[in-house]
Amino acid sequence: MPNKIEVEIKEKNKFYPIYMDMEYIENLRERIYKDFNFKCSKFLVVISERVYKIYGKILGFKSDELFILKDGEIEKNFKNYQKILQCCEKKGLDRKSALIAVGGGVVGDITGFAAATYMRGIHFIQVPTTLLACVDSSVGGKVAIDTDYGKNLVGAFYQPDAVYINLNFLNTLDDRQYKSGLAEILKYAFIEKSCEARFDYGLYDFLSVHCSKILDRDLRFIEKLIKVCIELKIAVVTKDEKEAGLRKILNFGHTYAHALEKITNYRTFTHGEAVAYGMHFIFNYAHKLKLIDANYKEMAMVLLHKFGFYDKTFKFPTDKLIKIMLKDKKTEDDNIKVILPTMKGYVKEDTLDIQTALNIF
Ligand code: NAD
Ligand code: GLY
């Protein structure tokens, strides 16, 4: 597979590259400067505090080029969005300027939303530094902040101008955050056949067979997984950028996950852990409705377990989660929309039957 993947967004006649390499992180700043000719334009780098502590010096951005965002989902909020915009104004960023996100999905989402709205849209570059951001959030153009009512409730579809994936960043990711990325990778395995991609990647079986190498962080496997997930995401997003239809499948496990994150004040679970619970819930729900047979449900449970997801000791109040799901942006006329598994690798959209959902656990 190539180290440069082109994304084409037909609706906007826009192309952008996703670069993937293991170059020295020291070279990244120069590389972006060169590609975007920033010597004659202004920019602001939004970087996660933790990433700044580890890589600030190596990256070499000057302090007045940086906006350091504290860590945690809780920081993906309106106040910080406003602060980023104020920083853009103070620095005199104009329509030819760029915002560069260096960090995980939190930094990518809030920076992208600032880029989408500042002066009605300026350049936006993603430098994902978590596995989750590499396989999912840095690609596809969903940008957002959370509100008091829920996750990602204010946002836009705004594609980046380029994505620079450098696998070296992943060396410092702790095991919990690494596994969080694996949860989104499992999601792709459960939806692969519905992605309408050009190739059959056999992701489900790949994950099953190579589980221990992947958990051991063998770089050859990580690289392959990132490429496959990006190809799958692109296959979906190029056909349906704004989630009118096909793109909804990328939300597999997410309606429940977002409610779970919200009810626990974004402090108990990582996004990926919540998605794993969401997928566990929806497999049980689909089985109860006889949409999938016991065999497929069991296979899915085994895969989730193999990767260390789902702790049976947690019990969540489904009724309260449903109340939050009713405020989800995918809910239409009080109908909670969910993506359901139908066969190995296949999913479809449906309305959640609340009575059935209440009796799952
Ligand atoms: P995150 O951004 O909170 O990062 C997790 C933690 O890892 C942070 O503390 C961060 O500082 C740290 N970190 C980042 N890179 C590191 C590195 N290289 N070494 C050490 N530590 C590092 O979490 P995430 O899982 O990357 O992203 C989750 C967010 O992404 C959620 O807000 C979710 O809603 C969003 N998301 C968006 C999309 C999308 O399409 N836009 C898709 C999936 C998820
Ligand atoms: N992560 C869901 C999407 O990008 O559509």
Side-chain angles (χ1 to χ4, degrees), residues 258-289:
H258 286 174
L260 190 56
E261 287 181 87
K262 167 82 181 120
I263 207 172
T264 50
N265 292 323
Y266 305 107
R267 290 184 199 280
T268 311
F269 303 108
T270 65
H271 178 65
E273 285 164 354
V275 169
Y277 277 111
M279 294 190 292
H280 180 269
F281 172 82
I282 215 69
F283 269 110
N284 280 282
Y285 172 86
H287 179 241
K288 194 144 204 157
L289 286 179

Side-chain angles (χ1 to χ4, degrees), residues 10 16 24 50-52 56 61 82 92 109 115 120 147 166 180 185 195 285 294 312 346 354:
K10 291 198 183 83
Y16 65 89
Y24 294 116
R50 182 160 167 69
V51 175
Y52 175 70
F61 290 106
Q82 205 177 12
D109 279 11
R120 297 210 177 95
T147 74
N166 187 319
S180 189
I185 294 174
C195 287
Y285 172 86
K312 278 193 173 128
Y346 288 91
I354 293 181

Side-chain angles (χ1 to χ4, degrees), residues 136-137 139-142 152 157 184 187-188 233 236-237 240-241 243 247-252 254 258 271:
D136 202 347
S137 62
V139 177
K142 272 191 184 175
N152 298 335
F157 292 97
E184 290 280 13
K187 173 193 83 177
Y188 283 108
K233 183 150 191 182
V236 172
V237 172
D240 176 24
E241 184 198 12
E243 206 169 287
R247 186 169 184 162
K248 292 176 183 177
I249 66 171
L250 296 177
N251 297 323
F252 184 62
H254 278 60
H258 286 174
H271 178 65

Side-chain angles (χ1 to χ4, degrees), residues 44-203:
L44 177 70
V45 179
V46 182
I47 186 165
S48 108
E49 192 171 39
R50 182 160 167 69
V51 175
Y52 175 70
K53 276 185 188 148
I54 306 173
Y55 297 103
K57 261 203 187 122
I58 306 176
L59 281 165
F61 290 106
K62 296 183 203 107
S63 58
D64 69 342
E65 296 170 338
L66 291 171
F67 181 100
I68 300 167
L69 187 74
K70 282 194 182 142
D71 287 305
E73 180 70 31
I74 206 91
E75 303 297 332
K76 206 172 99 179
N77 60 31
F78 187 77
K79 255 194 185 151
N80 282 327
Y81 162 69
Q82 205 177 12
K83 282 186 190 163
I84 294 170
L85 295 184
Q86 281 163 352
C87 202
C88 293
E89 284 173 336
K90 237 192 210 160
K91 280 183 62 65
L93 264 60
D94 59 28
R95 280 189 162 166
K96 285 193 169 162
S97 306
L99 274 168
I100 306 174
V102 182
V106 165
V107 167
D109 279 11
I110 193 169
T111 309
F113 184 53
T117 46
Y118 180 71
M119 296 198 167
R120 297 210 177 95
I122 63 172
H123 295 293
F124 173 40
I125 294 160
Q126 288 262 28
V127 181
T129 63
T130 63
L131 181 61
L132 186 142
C134 292
V135 296
D136 202 347
S137 62
S138 65
V139 177
K142 272 191 184 175
V143 293
I145 52 172
D146 306 330
T147 74
D148 291 345
Y149 287 90
K151 224 175 121 85
N152 298 335
L153 287 186
V154 175
F157 292 97
Y158 196 70
Q159 302 296 332
D161 290 278
V163 182
Y164 294 87
I165 295 175
N166 187 319
L167 295 176
N168 290 318
F169 279 116
L170 303 183
N171 294 332
T172 51
L173 207 59
D174 65 33
D175 283 344
R176 190 170 178 207
Q177 293 301 340
Y178 177 70
K179 264 185 60 191
S180 189
L182 290 177
E184 290 280 13
I185 294 174
L186 288 179
K187 173 193 83 177
Y188 283 108
F190 293 133
I191 68 169
E192 175 177 347
K193 306 284 187 261
S194 294
C195 287
E196 300 176 11
R198 279 179 305 152
F199 304 108
D200 181 353
Y201 298 101
L203 183 56

